[in-house]
Amino acid sequence: MKRTLIVAGTLLLGAGAVMAQQEVAVEQDNLMRSQAKSLYDVMQKMSKGTIPYNQKAVDKAVDDLEASVAKISKTFEVNPKQDVVNAWYGASQKVWQNKADFDSKIPPVQKAIADVKGKIHNVASLKAAYTTINDRCNDCHETYRLKLK
C-alpha cells in the first residue's frame, strides 16, 4: 500500500513538473504570437495593401509591440526544455546557453519601436516602420528561433 502511494505521488509530481514546463513554453509562445499578430497581421498586411490602412489599428499594434517586447527577457527567464505541442516555431536552447546575448537583442527592438512611434501617418511611413522593426526582430530570430514545422 505504501509503495502504491509513493509511486502515485511520484507520478503526480512528475506530471506536475511536465505541465509546469508546458505552461512556461505556452506563455513564451503566446508572447511571440501576440507580437506576430501586431507586426505581421496588422503592420505587414497594411503595408502590402492586403488590408486597408487604419491609423487606429497601426497605433494599437505599435503600442502592443512596445508593451510586449518589454516582457521578453522576463518571459524567457525559465527554460521549459520543451516546445509547445503542434507549434510552428519554438525557442532554441541557445536562448538559455547565451542569455546575455539573447537579452542584448531586446533594446534594439525597443529603440526601433520608439523611433517610429507617433511617426506613422500613411502607408509609406508604415512600410518604413515595419521594415525597421522587423529587421531588429529578425536579428534575434536568426539565432534564437527554431522552425519546428
Side-chain angles (χ1 to χ4, degrees), residues 69-98:
V69 167
K71 298 175 185 176
I72 293 172
S73 184
K74 178 100 173 112
T75 304
F76 282 85
E77 275 181 344
V78 175
N79 181 353
K81 297 182 178 125
Q82 62 178 276
D83 296 309
V84 174
V85 177
N86 294 321
W88 286 91
Y89 294 97
S92 167
Q93 290 302 306
K94 293 176 186 177
V95 169
W96 297 278
Q97 293 165 356
N98 196 356

Side-chain angles (χ1 to χ4, degrees), residues 24 37 63 110 115 125 143:
V24 169
K37 184 174 181 165
D63 288 345
Q110 291 172 309
D115 287 350
S125 58
T143 306

Side-chain angles (χ1 to χ4, degrees), residues 62-138:
V62 172
D63 288 345
D64 290 349
L65 280 170
E66 183 178 49
S68 66
V69 167
K71 298 175 185 176
I72 293 172
S73 184
K74 178 100 173 112
T75 304
F76 282 85
E77 275 181 344
V78 175
N79 181 353
K81 297 182 178 125
Q82 62 178 276
D83 296 309
V84 174
V85 177
N86 294 321
W88 286 91
Y89 294 97
S92 167
Q93 290 302 306
K94 293 176 186 177
V95 169
W96 297 278
Q97 293 165 356
N98 196 356
K99 186 75 162 75
D101 184 63
F102 174 78
D103 287 344
S104 76
K105 306 288 186 189
I106 299 167
V109 178
Q110 291 172 309
K111 182 179 181 329
I113 294 167
D115 287 350
V116 303
K117 189 172 181 174
K119 297 177 183 167
I120 304 169
H121 303 292
N122 54 38
V123 173
S125 58
L126 175 61
K127 284 181 185 180
Y130 166 77
T131 300
T132 298
I133 295 168
N134 190 54
D135 287 351
R136 295 300 65 79
C137 291
N138 285 334

Side-chain angles (χ1 to χ4, degrees), residues 24-34 75-76 84 87-90:
V24 169
V26 167
E27 181 182 354
Q28 293 168 353
D29 188 61
N30 285 342
L31 180 68
M32 293 294 107
R33 284 177 188 261
S34 74
T75 304
F76 282 85
V84 174
W88 286 91
Y89 294 97

